[in-house]
Amino acid sequence: MTTPNGGGWYNSGPGPSYSNSNNSNGYGPNPYPPTAPIALGRPQQSSSTPTRLQPPPPPPTNRYSNFEITIPVNRWPAGHSNSNTPNTPSTPSSSMDPPLTLISMAEGYFEAAHASGYKAALAKGGGDAKAYYKLVATGLRALEAALQCRLQPRLEAMVRLRYAGILHEETENGDEAEDALNKGIMLAQRGNFTDIKYTMQHLLARIMLRTTPKASLKMLNSCIADSETLDMVHWTYSFRFLRCNILMEDSPLHDEQGAITTLQKISSTAAARHDHGIYLLASLMETMISVSSGADGIEPASRALARANSLQLESMQGMEQLGILRQMLDIMCSLMVGRYSESEVKVKVLHGMLDHSSKAQIWTPNGEFRILINPVRPGRPEERLKFKWLTKEDIFVLGYFISGLCKFQKNVEEVGRGEKYLQEGLRSIERLLKEDHASTTSLVGAMNKSTWRQTLKCHVMLYHTFLLCVRTDWDGAIKGFNNLQQAFSVLPPQRSFLPTLITYLQAVISHGTNQLDQALELYKLVYTTVQSPDSEISIISKLNSIIILRPRDPRAAEHLMAAVEKPCTSTKNYLMKAAYMAVKATERGELVKTKNYLSLALQLATQTTNQQLTFILLSFMCHRFFSGVVSEQAEKSARAALQNATRGRDSLWSLMGGEMFADCLARKGNEYEAMRQRDLNEEPRNAVVANLTRHMLPDEHASRGVGLHEVV
């Protein structure tokens, strides 16, 4: 038993993230913790000196895999646009009005800065980062100067919005951004610029979340009510998506049920108005929140997914990204309850969707796509909400990762196909981390995207190492673990489930390489530090501890066994049930109960295609029921245990099966075949002894030796 959940991959947290900037990227245990807005160094300002930005600290938790909603906002008027701004600011024509010149200059500086966002993120405080900060500070100073001029009310409101958005994204000047927005909101109200006012309120709610979260939520509820009164349904959707995001933040306002209720209101409105894209997105986000609860959340997740599946493919034209997300979530629901055969069928559908989408022109460099909203009344123009998710390259990496998880139980049987998927995903991530600098983005967006990719890289390496453990390639597992630690060390500090999984992997490797005391300490560290004592990672750590403790401390083993009984019998994850039944069957007890537990464990292992657990159970059955017995059934049992362990490429259990089969042949008088089998057993024996003595000193190894009884 080497992994708690073959489908338990990282959390790309449920809920959207929001940004007013078109150049930012959001991110979001597993499939999920949204985080607070990223705070950067506060610029020092005065009326006579330019704005100075300090290098930002590492972001707490990236949010790139969440949806980022770009609010519908009126940009600069067509006559005042700077659509052909070069990557470096240029001197504007002297015939232009000074305010428009300053605005054009500011946009040029911002675009030049964002064009070097990835480069500055890699520099981590070097000359490129300083140049980035200088460009942003100069652009902010140009907007400040423009606001000192007499502007048209609408243009002034938009300049204040842009100014506050840059302050929010690039600096820690929250108070100054709030002040600019409050003045802009008053101006928009006087001029009846409703869209601009709502955009400012949307941004203000996100800024207030840093300092006064309850006030932010209260203001947001008021905005929802106002937009409903004015029948501006696209703003109602936007504010409710933002409310869901706030409720999923890791803050005192965290309320998953409240977030689900908000999404259900969105779904209800979208269903009544036939806004299929919004209905689909809200249902998928509800699925993501439910899935984050583990196997116990699969039932509500399945209901939300069923609503998403009720939409016909024709309703998803132009929203192929949501179709891919829907398929991925469907696969994850199957994996999290141990239905690997079902997930293999679904992953083939995902491969077809990805192959088709790679040829279609649906991808943008920054992962944006738009969802159509039907007009409120006939004759009125259609509205569109713009969302930002993963890029095409990131989607394909996730496809490799999910494909590897689907092949987790059949990796050895299919000659390492699961490992090959994960290796290809790892190569793709490394290539993206080194080469993806084409799209323009802010420094914060580049850091978030890089952190998300590095986190995904760690998860791919983690499960690849688990696969090596399953087939007892302990040398490869140790090397993989060391590489994983190195990859994890470059991540910024963040609240994540990943360190717990890494600790569990270390415990498994210690267990498999005969460092039992260290393995016990690590297992205990896992199940005593997780938030829920009934979580899957906690249960599987306790089950592995029981196996070590039985010959050492039977009372402690019994205590742990009693602790896991209730959650294991009630879980919806068949893999967990199978592991529990296997451990329960191997304890001393009545023969009838042992047979029943073994029968249930074998049935569940077969149902979940868990080959490793199958040959372990077959070996135990042969030892428990046919030790010293001379019969045809005993020979068949020993042969079955040997053949299954050999197919599983497990040297330890191949040796166990081979020894039992040789003993069976000898008892029947077939000495020649018994000797031949014992000769075949030498190869796995040498591998097992070398592995179990790898941490012993040469003198200790020579004095103790390792016999077959110690291997057992």
Side-chain angles (χ1 to χ4, degrees):
M1 288 167 276
T2 57
T3 177
N5 180 5
W9 54 301
Y10 73 98
N11 297 318
S12 49
S17 61
Y18 302 80
S19 172
N20 186 57
S21 170
N22 292 333
N23 296 316
S24 65
N25 288 291
Y27 166 79
N30 268 144
Y32 302 96
T35 63
I38 296 173
L40 304 184
R42 182 183 298 275
Q44 305 297 319
Q45 289 185 311
S46 70
S47 57
S48 59
T49 58
T51 303
R52 295 184 304 230
L53 282 78
Q54 300 175 358
T61 304
N62 53 33
R63 299 276 308 277
Y64 178 57
S65 67
N66 280 346
F67 288 103
E68 178 178 325
I69 302 176
T70 304
I71 300 308
V73 60
N74 294 322
R75 302 295 294 169
W76 314 116
H80 303 153
S81 65
N82 191 27
S83 59
N84 296 319
T85 305
N87 286 336
T88 55
S90 58
T91 304
S93 170
S94 59
S95 62
M96 296 179 66
D97 293 337
L100 299 182
T101 301
L102 290 169
I103 294 170
S104 178
M105 287 176 59
E107 288 301 308
Y109 282 116
F110 295 145
E111 290 198 17
H114 291 168
S116 63
Y118 280 109
K119 195 175 180 181
L122 291 175
K124 296 181 180 179
D128 291 322
K130 290 179 181 178
Y132 177 91
Y133 301 137
K134 185 175 181 180
L135 288 169
V136 172
T138 306
L140 284 170
R141 188 66 189 278
L143 290 183
E144 291 171 2
L147 289 172
Q148 302 301 318
C149 303
R150 184 180 296 276
L151 303 175
Q152 293 290 335
R154 182 180 182 86
L155 182 59
E156 181 182 346
M158 296 177 71
V159 172
R160 291 189 179 277
L161 172 61
R162 180 62 166 159
Y163 180 70
I166 294 294
L167 285 176
H168 169 62
E169 184 179 6
E170 304 281 3
T171 78
E172 286 185 337
N173 284 25
D175 293 340
E176 187 175 344
E178 281 191 45
D179 182 62
L181 286 175
N182 286 326
K183 291 179 181 178
I185 289 171
M186 293 173 57
L187 186 64
Q189 285 177 331
R190 288 198 301 266
N192 198 27
F193 309 137
T194 307
D195 276 336
I196 298 178
K197 183 189 78 170
Y198 279 155
T199 305
M200 290 181 172
Q201 289 176 327
H202 197 283
L203 177 58
L204 182 60
R206 305 198 308 274
I207 295 174
M208 291 172 62
L209 185 62
R210 292 179 176 178
T211 54
T212 54
K214 290 185 178 179
S216 172
L217 192 61
K218 184 177 180 180
M219 188 196 78
L220 197 55
N221 291 336
S222 175
C223 291
I224 292 172
D226 289 346
S227 64
E228 287 180 320
T229 302
L230 295 176
D231 208 14
M232 300 185 71
V233 69
H234 58 295
W235 280 111
T236 303
Y237 287 145
S238 292
F239 286 129
R240 279 188 170 150
F241 277 123
L242 177 57
R243 186 177 191 276
C244 173
N245 182 72
I246 289 176
L247 292 176
M248 287 305 298
E249 292 283 353
D250 186 13
S251 72
L253 297 178
H254 184 83
D255 182 4
E256 288 189 6
Q257 188 55 49
I260 290 176
T261 301
T262 301
L263 290 171
Q264 288 173 344
K265 289 181 179 179
I266 295 175
S267 298
S268 178
T269 303
R273 300 188 69 258
H274 302 289
D275 292 329
H276 299 302
I278 298 296
Y279 180 83
L280 177 59
L281 176 58
S283 299
L284 294 177
M285 289 174 62
E286 184 181 343
T287 304
M288 293 168 71
I289 295 175
S290 298
V291 164
S292 67
S293 302
D296 293 337
I298 293 300
E299 187 174 339
S302 298
R303 289 197 296 268
L305 197 59
R307 292 197 298 272
N309 289 332
S310 65
L311 291 178
Q312 300 298 321
L313 292 176
E314 293 77 14
S315 305
M316 296 169 53
Q317 294 299 323
M319 299 178 293
E320 286 81 358
Q321 290 91 337
L322 293 185
I324 292 171
L325 174 61
R326 181 174 68 177
Q327 190 65 22
M328 286 182 171
L329 287 173
D330 198 7
I331 294 169
M332 297 315 300
C333 286
S334 297
L335 289 176
M336 292 182 72
V337 293
R339 297 172 181 163
Y340 279 84
S341 298
E342 185 179 289
S343 68
E344 287 188 70
V345 176
K346 295 176 180 178
V347 82
K348 291 179 181 178
V349 177
L350 175 64
H351 291 169
M353 296 174 72
L354 291 174
D355 290 341
H356 174 74
S357 67
S358 66
K359 302 173 184 176
Q361 301 299 317
I362 64 170
W363 304 100
T364 58
N366 59 359
E368 287 182 353
F369 63 97
R370 298 172 186 266
I371 293 181
L372 175 68
I373 299 174
N374 294 321
V376 177
R377 298 180 187 85
R380 295 188 64 175
E382 296 176 339
E383 298 285 352
R384 292 180 183 271
L385 282 183
K386 184 164 62 176
F387 295 83
K388 186 180 291 185
W389 189 38
L390 302 178
T391 64
K392 173 183 175 181
E393 293 77 14
D394 294 324
I395 291 287
F396 274 77
V397 172
L398 272 182
Y400 285 123
F401 182 41
I402 293 175
S403 300
L405 295 179
C406 290
K407 294 295 182 182
F408 198 94
Q409 301 299 340
K410 291 187 176 181
N411 175 61
V412 177
E413 181 182 336
E414 298 187 1
V415 199
R417 181 171 294 183
E419 293 177 43
K420 292 175 183 176
Y421 278 128
L422 296 180
Q423 288 166 355
E424 184 59 37
L426 191 59
R427 284 192 290 267
S428 299
I429 297 174
E430 291 174 343
R431 185 170 58 251
L432 289 173
L433 286 170
K434 294 177 181 178
E435 300 176 2
D436 186 18
H437 312 302
S439 58
T440 59
T441 183
S442 67
L443 176 59
V444 176
M447 291 173 65
N448 286 348
K449 186 185 239 186
S450 177
T451 302
W452 181 83
R453 286 172 172 168
Q454 186 70 19
T455 303
L456 179 57
K457 175 183 175 180
C458 289
H459 279 89
V460 175
M461 296 174 73
L462 176 88
Y463 281 94
H464 181 263
T465 308
F466 272 130
L467 286 175
L468 298 178
C469 294
V470 170
R471 60 180 179 85
T472 63
D473 182 2
W474 298 111
D475 291 332
I478 292 170
K479 182 180 178 181
F481 178 76
N482 292 334
N483 292 337
L484 172 60
Q485 283 188 311
Q486 184 178 358
F488 180 74
S489 66
V490 304
L491 285 173
Q494 54 180 306
R495 294 189 63 177
S496 167
F497 191 59
L498 182 57
T500 304
L501 289 172
I502 293 175
T503 302
Y504 176 77
L505 174 61
Q506 186 180 6
V508 169
I509 294 174
S510 298
H511 193 167
T513 56
N514 203 26
Q515 293 179 291
L516 301 184
D517 292 330
Q518 180 176 322
L520 274 177
E521 291 177 4
L522 292 168
Y523 285 136
K524 186 175 182 179
L525 179 63
V526 171
Y527 66 73
T528 55
T529 55
V530 292
Q531 292 183 350
S532 172
D534 294 339
S535 64
E536 292 182 353
I537 190 72
S538 174
I539 292 171
I540 199 67
S541 296
K542 291 175 182 177
L543 289 175
N544 282 332
S545 298
I546 290 169
I547 296 172
I548 300 174
L549 286 171
R550 273 184 180 159
R552 298 178 166 204
D553 190 347
R555 286 190 177 182
E558 289 177 7
H559 176 73
L560 285 178
M561 199 69 191
V564 301
E565 182 175 2
K566 185 177 179 180
C568 283
T569 53
S570 61
T571 183
K572 295 178 175 61
N573 188 338
Y574 297 124
L575 282 170
M576 295 301 300
K577 282 186 177 180
Y580 168 74
M581 291 297 177
V583 176
K584 189 73 174 174
T586 55
E587 68 180 354
R588 294 182 181 276
E590 298 178 11
L591 185 61
V592 175
K593 288 185 177 180
T594 299
K595 285 184 176 180
N596 289 336
Y597 285 131
L598 282 172
S599 177
L600 286 171
L602 265 177
Q603 181 182 347
L604 289 169
T606 303
Q607 184 177 344
T608 57
T609 65
N610 190 325
Q611 188 180 18
Q612 183 190 39
L613 191 57
T614 299
F615 60 69
I616 291 175
L617 290 169
L618 289 174
S619 297
F620 177 77
M621 288 174 64
C622 180
H623 173 74
R624 180 71 172 82
F625 300 120
F626 299 107
S627 181
V629 176
V630 180
S631 69
E632 191 70 23
Q633 186 64 29
E635 183 179 347
K636 288 181 179 179
S637 177
R639 182 183 285 110
L642 171 61
Q643 289 175 345
N644 279 273
T646 303
R647 281 201 297 268
R649 295 169 67 183
D650 189 305
S651 55
L652 175 62
W653 291 100
S654 295
L655 176 58
M656 297 300 97
E659 287 295 322
M660 288 188 292
F661 185 52
D663 289 344
C664 182
L665 292 173
R667 285 194 300 271
K668 288 182 64 177
N670 195 344
E671 290 293 341
Y672 176 77
E673 291 296 330
M675 290 178 61
R676 182 172 176 273
Q677 181 59 47
R678 288 194 175 98
D679 289 340
L680 294 174
N681 292 343
E682 284 306 307
E683 182 178 351
R685 183 192 301 278
N686 293 335
V688 169
V689 171
N691 175 56
L692 297 185
T693 59
R694 68 170 66 234
H695 300 292
M696 292 183 183
L697 297 175
D699 294 341
E700 184 182 3
H701 182 194
S703 63
R704 288 186 57 189
V706 178
L708 181 60
H709 65 285
E710 289 185 284
V711 171
V712 177

